[in-house]
Amino acid sequence: MKRRDFLKLSGAACLALASLELDSSLFRHLEAKELKDLPGSLGAKEIPSVCDMCFWRCPIVAKVKNGKVVKIEGNPKSPTNGPRICARGNAGIQMLYDKDRLKYPLKRKGARGEGKWVRISWDEALDEIAHNLKKTQEKYGKHSIALFDHGASAGFFRNIFEALGTENFSNEPAFFQCVGPCLLAYLYTFGYQAIDPAKVDLENARAILLVGSHLGENIQVSMVRSLIKGLSKGAKLIVMDPRYSAIAGKADIWLPVRPGTDMAILLAWINYVIEHGLYDKEFVAKHCNGFNELKKAVAKYTIPWAAKISDVPEADLKKAIEILAQNRPHVSIHPGRHSAWYGPQDVQRHRCLAILTALFGAVGVPGGLYFPTNPPLESVELVDFDEVEPPDNSLKNDYPFAELFHGSPTHAIIRATLTGEPYPIKAWGVVGVNLLQTIPNPYQTMEAIKKLDFIFCVDIKPTESALWADIVLPDATYLERYDGLYKCRETSCYVALRQPAVKPLFESRPAFEIARDLAKKLGLEVEYEDIESYLNDQLEPMGLTVKKLAAQGGLVTCEAKPYRSRSELKFNTDSGKVELFCEAFDDEDFDGIPQFMPAPAPPAGYVRLIYGRVPVHTFAKTMNNLWLHHEWPENKLWINDELAAKIGLKDGDEVILENQDGYRSEKPVKVFVTPGIRPDCVYLPHGFGSRSPMLSRAYKQGVSDTFLITHYEQEPLMGASSHRNNFVRFIKDGKVISVPELRPVPREIPRFELKKSA
């Protein structure tokens, strides 16, 4: 599948649904008139909008009184979250009124990284950016500029960089550090994006499998609600995770897998299902391609073998797969999301999950993988452009399936910036993403930034990445701006409007306006002068305008069709069927059927570093938020109780962490001693340990996991960067603690080799 075909498919799906009737029933008029004399939020004016405290984008209602947002609630019109929002959603007010916000356009006056700036006008700032981007392209070629972006507003800047002709127009770290491998695996198995959010009908499942998924700690309101509904109706839950996570505490079976061996269990399960005839024979015969190849390729993977490799009891592995098989086809095999774990095996691990789903016939049925419904919106752009022609020496050349997606692998851009090979990259734009708390090896990223002729940053707060920028632009928060329309494509379907609740504070400006004016200074032809016109053209197929949508509570639903009868099933793959054997991978000399690839085990004296989320924070984005910081100000290091006893650590002790490359944590971290984690790994919640002194609450609170992730490997099909091939040891009172190995590693698993200098 080529990218052009992929985009055409998405467009066709929108047109096919253009005749859907809108559900205007159950309408509640939300824009009530403000009554100022009532206490608290009573009598506040209600502005429906969409949250941006994480990527889940729940519909909300902002309550405004005396010109200030005083409360945020869920939008009762939303079929997914209703009036509910999470702690972060409530705390959006403290993002809006954060005392450390960027307030004015700034120009660097000290060294990069020092955060020394002078205030300049918007005109001066945009002139400076336009001049430097044009100068860089004139001197080094059109691909010598790159954009790192994330979030709803970033699309306007992505459009500009694409119009400027660089192949590096959208290098979203969230894709190449997170969801990319998973998305590719499902696209080439089922022919559609079953990810982001995961298209699994947890609410109607009779059995659920989660592999390394921290639902409950990684709060995604609609998905957590769906999971809870499923469990309350009696669904069995299997959780595979080296850590006893919050959701593992709800599981019928917890499989504490040795990190890096998940694939061994999945392959053995696939073989077990085939060998014992536990698969959906009708579905496989009619709708799957490559069953015989699959059967032959996985025959060597047995449950006893997987038990030895994964260090999970054989009886538990058998019991778990039999529970899943007994409940087919109403089985939710969760595809996962963050999948850039170990590098070489990442796409194929998620192919295993997809294949298991297909063997159970759990596709297009209640409780299984469902099909998304696209609301009928017109596709428009701020700036018209021709599709970018990649150069002969494209950064994607080493990754045959990266061509399908926007942008280039982030590590390839950083290395090209450092080395000038295969071509020089001399200017970066950074919009809505904190690169130094996101991409592995931030030390390498900082060295790359030093090589740049120019870098600008658009953000709300002075993050670590902003400190390195030559020009910094203050973005308006989501409570102060319009954005692109939010499309919900879950088992329900709706369109929601993000609109300003209050005017932008200080001199911050909405991203649309910044991008529009920058485009003009770059000499690009702007299609829209105001964002309402831009949104109205998108809404036109639905017979709506911004005003009409706002008047309908900011949200309209469409008829969704998540399920299919067997006779209706069609798959947009090369064979028109589910690809158990992937010929496209085979053609590029990759395995058409997944084969086991172990991740290297910890070197002697070290344990593997794993990481995850806490339920009140979104990565590093919310660490400076007054309310959320109060609830969870710093992280602690989870360490196994048996291991802790062996090395003399007690709960609350503080240790310095040193990784395999000799990098140490900036300060000591408190340990949390628990039986809820294996002894060959430790767990550190992500996003803490800010190194920006301009973030007064987050600065040096806790320890950053990203600054300990300095080794990474590339996923070979699409170029994602791995995050879980790093190892740490402990230093206490100035002495290195020798970590004993409590779980012997089988000889089939290689050891990570330390550099001689480490």
Side-chain angles (χ1 to χ4, degrees):
M1 183 185 296
K2 300 295 184 186
R3 178 167 172 262
R4 188 181 294 275
D5 299 330
F6 173 56
L7 297 175
K8 196 184 297 180
L9 169 68
S10 302
C14 289
L15 290 174
L17 289 159
S19 60
L20 289 177
E21 292 184 4
L22 305 182
D23 176 9
S24 58
S25 63
L26 302 176
F27 164 64
R28 174 189 165 193
H29 189 75
L30 286 165
E31 213 166 322
K33 190 175 179 181
E34 180 180 337
L35 299 172
K36 296 182 179 178
D37 297 333
L38 296 175
S41 63
L42 290 175
K45 185 177 181 181
E46 297 183 343
I47 309 292
S49 190
V50 177
C51 186
D52 195 34
M53 292 296 284
C54 79
F55 53 81
W56 212 246
R57 295 173 191 166
C58 295
I60 57 170
V61 176
K63 297 196 170 187
V64 180
K65 206 167 182 181
N66 298 319
K68 291 194 70 174
V69 179
V70 295
K71 191 174 184 183
I72 299 173
E73 297 176 346
N75 187 336
K77 283 199 71 178
S78 167
T80 50
N81 66 294
R84 304 162 193 83
I85 52 173
C86 67
R88 296 165 301 178
N90 278 289
I93 294 172
Q94 293 300 333
M95 174 182 280
L96 172 62
Y97 299 119
D98 191 327
K99 64 179 182 179
D100 296 332
R101 272 185 66 175
L102 291 165
K103 300 176 177 66
Y104 317 101
L106 300 167
K107 182 175 182 177
R108 178 174 60 85
K109 71 171 183 180
R112 283 182 179 154
E114 285 188 327
K116 294 181 179 177
W117 296 306
V118 292
R119 180 177 171 179
I120 58 175
S121 71
W122 272 101
D123 244 11
E124 289 174 298
L126 294 176
D127 278 341
E128 190 87 16
I129 296 170
H131 169 76
N132 280 285
L133 292 180
K134 284 195 283 191
K135 187 176 74 174
T136 302
Q137 286 194 303
E138 286 167 5
K139 187 173 180 180
Y140 298 105
K142 62 184 179 180
H143 300 291
S144 61
I145 63 173
L147 175 70
F148 296 88
D149 58 294
H150 188 255
S153 288
F156 303 121
F157 295 92
R158 193 178 303 149
N159 187 193
I160 289 176
F161 272 68
E162 191 167 16
L164 290 173
T166 175
E167 69 166 342
N168 308 308
F169 62 89
S170 174
N171 316 289
E172 191 172 324
F175 184 79
F176 288 103
Q177 320 302 319
C178 186
V179 71
C182 180
L183 193 150
L184 181 67
Y186 277 71
L187 197 57
Y188 272 86
T189 305
F190 294 108
Y192 74 98
Q193 286 193 66
I195 314 298
D196 208 18
K199 306 293 184 288
V200 275
D201 184 15
L202 300 171
E203 180 175 347
N204 294 303
R206 295 178 186 168
I208 297 167
L209 172 66
L210 302 177
V211 177
S213 174
H214 301 164
L215 281 175
E217 290 156 298
N218 181 13
I219 294 287
Q220 297 161 348
V221 175
S222 60
M223 184 165 285
V224 172
R225 285 188 71 203
S226 180
L227 173 62
I228 291 171
K229 287 179 182 176
L231 295 179
S232 68
K233 290 192 281 188
K236 299 292 185 184
L237 177 63
I238 315 295
V239 173
M240 189 190 302
D241 196 321
R243 185 175 69 96
Y244 194 65
S245 61
I247 196 61
K250 308 292 182 188
D252 294 275
I253 300 177
W254 171 45
L255 304 173
V257 60
R258 186 196 311 275
T261 64
D262 318 66
M263 205 172 169
I265 295 177
L266 296 172
L267 287 165
W269 278 353
I270 291 170
N271 180 39
Y272 188 86
V273 166
I274 294 172
E275 193 177 28
H276 292 79
L278 300 176
Y279 60 97
D280 187 326
K281 297 179 180 61
E282 181 199 356
F283 181 87
V284 169
K286 288 185 178 177
H287 300 291
C288 294
N289 179 55
F291 177 75
N292 290 332
E293 291 92 335
L294 175 68
K295 182 178 180 180
K296 182 179 178 183
V298 300
K300 59 190 172 191
Y301 301 120
T302 64
I303 295 281
W305 168 82
K308 175 186 167 190
I309 296 291
S310 66
D311 193 31
V312 176
E314 186 178 330
D316 288 350
L317 293 182
K318 277 186 183 176
K319 187 177 178 183
I321 190 60
E322 285 172 0
I323 286 174
L324 295 172
Q326 286 161 9
N327 288 284
R328 69 181 187 275
H330 307 290
V331 179
S332 284
I333 308 291
H334 197 293
R337 178 179 168 84
H338 175 51
S339 49
W341 291 0
Y342 305 113
Q345 64 167 265
D346 288 341
V347 168
Q348 298 289 17
R349 182 181 63 250
H350 289 269
R351 278 265 297 151
C352 289
L353 293 167
I355 288 170
L356 203 54
T357 299
L359 290 177
F360 289 148
V363 185
V365 296
L369 200 68
Y370 64 80
F371 292 92
T373 301
N374 290 304
L377 296 171
E378 185 64 45
S379 178
V380 300
E381 300 287 357
L382 171 62
V383 177
D384 196 17
F385 61 90
D386 294 325
E387 188 162 348
V388 173
E389 193 67 36
D392 291 340
N393 54 352
S394 169
L395 298 186
K396 298 180 178 182
N397 281 354
D398 290 338
Y399 309 102
F401 296 91
E403 187 265 346
L404 190 63
F405 307 109
H406 289 312
S408 303
T410 46
H411 81 279
I413 293 174
I414 291 169
R415 288 180 182 172
T417 304
L418 277 169
T419 65
E421 299 294 339
Y423 56 75
I425 295 179
K426 289 293 190 178
W428 288 6
V430 181
V431 177
V433 59
N434 187 351
L435 297 180
L436 299 181
Q437 290 284 8
T438 306
I439 299 176
N441 201 344
Y443 304 99
Q444 183 186 50
T445 304
M446 290 187 281
E447 288 304 309
I449 293 174
K450 290 177 185 174
K451 298 270 187 180
L452 292 171
D453 289 349
F454 181 72
I455 175 172
F456 75 94
C457 179
V458 182
D459 213 319
I460 293 167
K461 296 188 296 296
T463 64
E464 288 94 328
S465 297
L467 298 186
W468 287 82
D470 299 321
I471 297 291
V472 179
L473 303 180
D475 195 3
T477 71
Y478 68 97
L479 293 165
E480 302 165 308
R481 69 182 192 231
Y482 287 102
D483 267 332
L485 297 162
Y486 174 62
K487 297 162 281 186
C488 175
R489 307 186 309 137
E490 301 178 38
T491 50
S492 54
C493 176
Y494 61 81
V495 175
L497 174 69
R498 177 175 290 154
Q499 58 181 333
V502 291
K503 291 181 180 177
L505 296 176
F506 317 109
E507 286 189 17
S508 68
R509 293 175 59 185
F512 176 89
E513 295 179 17
I514 303 173
R516 178 199 61 198
D517 293 348
L518 176 60
K520 289 179 179 177
K521 287 185 182 291
L522 285 162
L524 300 172
E525 190 172 341
V526 172
E527 299 287 317
Y528 296 95
E529 281 295 329
D530 62 90
I531 194 165
E532 287 199 35
S533 302
Y534 172 87
L535 296 174
N536 284 341
D537 276 3
Q538 288 183 68
L539 288 166
E540 196 273 333
M542 300 180 75
L544 286 170
T545 63
V546 168
K547 286 183 179 176
K548 288 180 181 175
L549 180 53
Q552 294 192 42
L555 184 151
V556 293
T557 57
C558 307
E559 183 183 351
K561 190 180 179 187
Y563 312 126
R564 303 283 191 277
S565 67
R566 289 281 166 96
S567 62
E568 291 177 298
L569 283 175
K570 291 180 182 176
F571 298 95
N572 187 39
T573 58
D574 290 341
S575 66
K577 297 182 176 182
V578 178
E579 300 276 13
L580 302 179
F581 173 79
C582 182
E583 191 169 340
F585 288 6
D586 187 64
D587 287 346
E588 295 289 344
D589 296 328
F590 294 105
D591 292 325
I593 302 287
Q595 295 293 293
F596 178 57
M597 289 175 277
Y606 289 77
V607 288
R608 188 182 302 272
L609 174 65
I610 60 174
Y611 51 84
R613 305 272 295 276
V614 296
V616 304
H617 283 297
T618 301
F619 317 126
K621 181 177 179 176
T622 59
M623 293 297 165
N624 205 58
N625 187 290
L626 176 65
W627 293 350
L628 301 177
H629 174 78
H630 178 269
E631 294 302 310
W632 212 305
E634 63 179 350
N635 52 359
K636 293 182 180 179
L637 184 78
W638 287 43
I639 181 170
N640 174 267
D641 58 346
E642 187 183 350
L643 176 62
K646 289 275 186 187
I647 59 179
L649 288 180
K650 301 186 299 297
D651 200 46
D653 281 352
E654 294 189 342
V655 294
I656 292 280
L657 301 177
E658 182 181 72
N659 81 353
Q660 73 287 333
D661 295 323
Y663 288 100
R664 293 186 174 185
S665 57
E666 197 175 33
K667 55 176 283 194
V669 61
K670 290 178 183 172
V671 302
F672 169 57
V673 177
T674 171
I677 190 165
R678 290 177 54 91
D680 48 11
C681 57
V682 290
Y683 173 82
L684 190 61
H686 171 65
F688 292 86
S690 170
R691 300 194 176 195
S692 170
M694 303 181 79
L695 297 174
S696 59
R697 298 185 195 93
Y699 182 52
K700 290 188 176 180
Q701 294 296 302
V703 164
S704 168
D705 57 316
T706 306
F707 277 81
L708 291 166
I709 298 175
T710 54
H711 174 79
Y712 60 92
E713 297 177 26
Q714 268 57 66
E715 196 292 317
L717 288 95
M718 49 75 65
S721 303
S722 71
H723 287 56
R724 294 191 177 178
N725 288 335
N726 288 264
F727 310 92
V728 294
R729 59 184 180 181
F730 316 121
I731 298 173
K732 190 168 186 294
D733 300 328
K735 296 178 182 176
V736 174
I737 298 175
S738 180
V739 180
E741 187 167 85
L742 302 185
R743 298 290 185 273
V745 177
R747 61 179 176 78
E748 291 91 337
I749 300 177
R751 293 275 187 186
F752 182 88
E753 294 186 11
L754 293 172
K755 294 175 186 173
K756 289 181 181 177
S757 57

